[in-house]
Amino acid sequence: MVAVEDLSPAAVETFLKVSGWLRTDWREGLYSIWESTTERASLMVPFDRSYRDFPARLRDALATIADVYEIGNDEDLALEIAGARHDILLVRADQTTVDGSIPLSEAQNLLTGVSQMLSAAACSAIRPRASNQGRRPDAVKEFLAEEVRMGHTLRGSFVLTILAQHDEEMSEELPVQGGSEAAAIGTYTRRVMTTLATGLTASRDLLEGEQVELDEAVQNGASAELIDSIDRMSQFPGLRALDVSFRWSPSQPQPVDTASRVVLRRPDPDRIHFVRDALRQRPVVEQDDVTGQVIRLERAEGQDEGVVVIDGSLGRTRRRVKMRLAGDDYRLALRAHDERRAVVASGIVVLEKRSWWLGPPVRIRSVS
């Protein structure tokens, strides 16, 4: 996790802002004053580390936060503050130990497995596939390289702490119920982490022989690569289970119908092979179909090509997807918008900054 002494003033300010505190005074480079009328409390956040009393003043601010929110220890305090701008993944290995230690090779397998797990979820968050072999999308590479960090392990247990930062530059428009034009903004990080939670739940059901359709599990985030990661982390003979839990940042829309904890009992090796082979043998669909309503069209005067936005379903996921259309395709989208008819657009979905795009060649047709 993040140690209290490693917390930055920026992290503390983000926590205060998300928690409803108001900044009542500020001097650039020196300090800020924050107040909560509901909690009847105020505090100062120091900025300049060159001052001799900087550690004491920051500790005073943290002590006030701990008192207001009744946080009893530094570990919980650090997690609470870090969670303001990060989703936090906690992976606990429930296993036998010798003198409180585990083999170095097992620790390496846990770390490698977590990395594979996040990579698989990041791919499925863009395009749910039974197998994600081949070149990873650029958004996945950027997410793993720039948004994911490992914190200190928790005391007294083998718990890996992974911080997934919410980067507003890697955000997307979220569909709004009721056909509203206004859209909330959610980060790609949140989609990855919720996909990981639902994918682990689906993978657990597959590995334990529950009655679940393979295609449904794939749409929920299960993949051959996710099964591979579970296999890698479960190889130590003394392991009883992997206990995976999530702490959702309040800075983003809260996930619905998504588990915050998934316990994966050590799987049977034969069952691992069976599920993994079944996923890898599923046919790979090379294009994505988006079915929904045209909610927006944008085209410059005198231009043939324009941008069309569909609010619809991509597999089992609802998204707002943009695409560039021209000629008859653009006119079809315009008629569908005016007549409130559904359309199906086909192409390859990619994430570019804040928007999902359907890449060329794009084909569109109306739904009767």
Side-chain angles (χ1 to χ4, degrees), residues 150-357:
M150 179 178 171
H152 296 292
T153 57
L154 299 184
R155 289 196 300 266
S157 60
F158 294 101
V159 181
L160 300 181
T161 307
I162 307 299
L163 308 176
Q165 178 174 279
H166 292 288
D167 181 0
E168 297 304 326
E169 293 300 315
M170 289 291 289
S171 301
E172 58 173 300
E173 290 186 355
L174 299 178
V176 176
Q177 298 295 333
S180 170
E181 276 294 311
I185 297 297
T187 65
Y188 174 56
T189 291
R190 173 52 57 85
R191 187 179 287 276
V192 172
M193 299 305 281
T194 54
T195 299
L196 177 57
T198 57
L200 287 174
T201 301
S203 297
R204 178 198 62 196
D205 293 344
L206 289 172
L207 292 173
E208 293 183 359
E210 298 290 338
Q211 294 297 318
V212 56
E213 292 291 336
L214 196 61
D215 288 341
E216 179 181 357
V218 169
Q219 289 298 323
N220 286 330
S223 66
E225 290 72 26
L226 189 58
I227 297 297
D228 275 338
S229 71
I230 296 170
D231 184 24
R232 177 178 287 275
M233 291 188 288
S234 303
Q235 290 179 1
F236 183 59
L239 183 85
R240 292 180 289 268
L242 293 170
D243 190 340
V244 184
S245 58
F246 300 82
R247 295 175 65 119
W248 308 109
S249 168
S251 67
Q252 298 295 308
Q254 293 302 290
V256 179
D257 298 329
T258 303
S260 293
R261 184 186 180 202
V262 184
V263 178
L264 300 142
R265 293 194 295 268
R266 187 164 187 253
D268 176 72
D270 290 339
R271 185 65 185 177
I272 281 271
H273 294 312
F274 174 81
V275 172
R276 182 167 47 206
D277 289 347
L279 287 166
R280 285 180 174 160
Q281 289 168 10
R282 300 298 292 175
V284 177
V285 179
E286 295 299 341
Q287 69 175 20
D288 302 294
D289 290 336
V290 181
T291 304
Q293 298 287 331
V294 177
I295 61 167
R296 192 162 66 241
L297 300 99
E298 303 169 355
R299 183 167 66 173
E301 185 176 353
Q303 296 296 313
D304 185 49
E305 183 181 81
V307 174
V308 175
V309 183
I310 295 177
D311 186 340
S313 300
L314 179 65
R316 295 180 182 270
T317 303
R318 190 162 170 230
R319 292 181 181 166
R320 286 192 171 187
V321 182
K322 297 181 179 180
M323 61 207 70
R324 292 182 175 86
L325 299 177
D328 290 341
D329 288 338
Y330 188 90
R331 287 188 284 274
L332 185 152
L334 180 60
R335 288 196 303 273
H337 176 269
D338 292 342
E339 298 171 8
R340 299 185 180 277
R341 285 189 287 111
V343 297
V344 178
S346 302
I348 303 297
V349 169
V350 296
L351 177 62
E352 296 180 6
K353 298 299 181 182
R354 285 184 180 272
S355 301
W356 296 94
W357 286 87

Side-chain angles (χ1 to χ4, degrees), residues 88-132:
I88 300 176
L89 173 68
L90 301 171
V91 181
R92 183 174 74 89
D94 178 11
Q95 61 192 70
T96 57
T97 64
V98 177
D99 298 326
S101 65
I102 62 173
L104 186 60
S105 59
E106 170 62 8
Q108 184 177 7
N109 278 342
L110 287 173
L111 285 171
T112 303
V114 168
S115 179
Q116 290 178 335
M117 178 186 291
L118 288 166
S119 177
C123 289
S124 293
I126 296 176
R127 302 173 68 204
R129 294 290 184 272
S131 179
N132 291 298

Side-chain angles (χ1 to χ4, degrees), residues 39-54:
E39 302 294 346
R40 299 187 63 81
S42 63
L43 56 83
M44 181 188 76
V45 179
F47 296 154
D48 194 337
R49 294 179 181 272
S50 67
Y51 278 75
R52 184 174 298 178
D53 63 344
F54 173 87

